[in-house]
Amino acid sequence: MPLLPEEPQIHESAQGPRATPASGRVAPTPRPVPGPRPAAPPRPGRPGPARPVPAQRASHTAAKPGPSAPAATPQIQLIPASAEGALDAAEEAVDLLLESGRAPGDVLVITTGESHPWAAHELSFGEAAYWAQHDAGDDVFYADASAVGRAAARPVVVVAVNGGTGSVTAQALPQALGRAGALLIVCGDPQTINSVLGAGV
C-alpha cells in the first residue's frame, strides 16, 4: 500500500507540458525591467565591427528563425520608459536578446532623440566606415531615426523613443515596424507609442 501515495507525487513533480512551449519558441520576448543602471557604456568603441563573444554566437544562430512562417506582421513589445530612460531600456533589451541567443547581426537599434554613443563614435570615422559596418551585418547596428530609411531589415528592431519631435517619432515607428522581421521592441512613453502605432499601422 505505500506505493499509492507516491504515484500522485511523481505525477505532480513531472510537469512536462511547461517545458515544451518554452523550448519550442524561437524568438523569446525579452522582459527587461527599466530601472536605475550604471551609466550605459557605449557599444564596442573601436573601429572594427568584430566582437569575439558575439561572433561565436553568430556562428550557430545565424539562420533566420523559421517557425514564424507568416512573416507578415512582427510581434510588438512595448517597454514603458521615460525619454531619459528609453536608451537604457533599449540597452537592456539588446543585452537580453543577445543572452537569449540572438545573433548580434539580427538587431537594429534606432534612436529618435540623441544618437546612441556607439553611433556617434563610429560616425566620427566617417559615414562610409559607419555604413560599411551596417552592410557587413555581423553586429548590432545603431542608427538615428533619420537614417531608418537607409537601414536594411533585420529580424529584431529596437526603438528608443529618447526625445525628438512628435513628427520624428511618428515617422520612425512605422518605418521601424517595416524593418522588423520578427520582433519590434519600443522603449518609451506608452501613450505616445500607442497613438503613433495605432494610427500608422
Side-chain angles (χ1 to χ4, degrees), residues 58 65 67 83 93 115 123 130 145 158 168 185 199:
S115 297
L123 277 166
Y130 172 75
V158 180
V168 168
I185 300 174

Side-chain angles (χ1 to χ4, degrees), residues 84-184:
E84 297 77 25
L87 200 53
D88 282 343
E91 277 294 311
E92 258 185 69
V94 170
D95 290 344
L96 284 172
L97 286 163
L98 298 178
E99 287 167 16
S100 70
R102 273 282 174 196
D106 282 358
V107 184
L108 170 66
V109 180
I110 297 164
T111 55
T112 62
E114 190 176 325
S115 297
H116 187 280
W118 183 88
H121 173 77
E122 294 304 320
L123 277 166
S124 70
F125 295 100
E127 282 212 25
Y130 172 75
W131 286 105
Q133 290 189 34
H134 167 270
D135 297 340
D138 57 2
D139 206 348
V140 178
F141 190 77
Y142 296 83
D144 291 341
S146 60
V148 177
R150 185 169 172 184
R154 292 201 177 187
V156 182
V157 176
V158 180
V159 180
V161 183
N162 63 332
T165 64
S167 62
V168 168
T169 303
Q171 266 191 327
L173 291 180
Q175 284 187 326
L177 183 63
R179 297 290 184 279
L183 177 63
L184 172 66

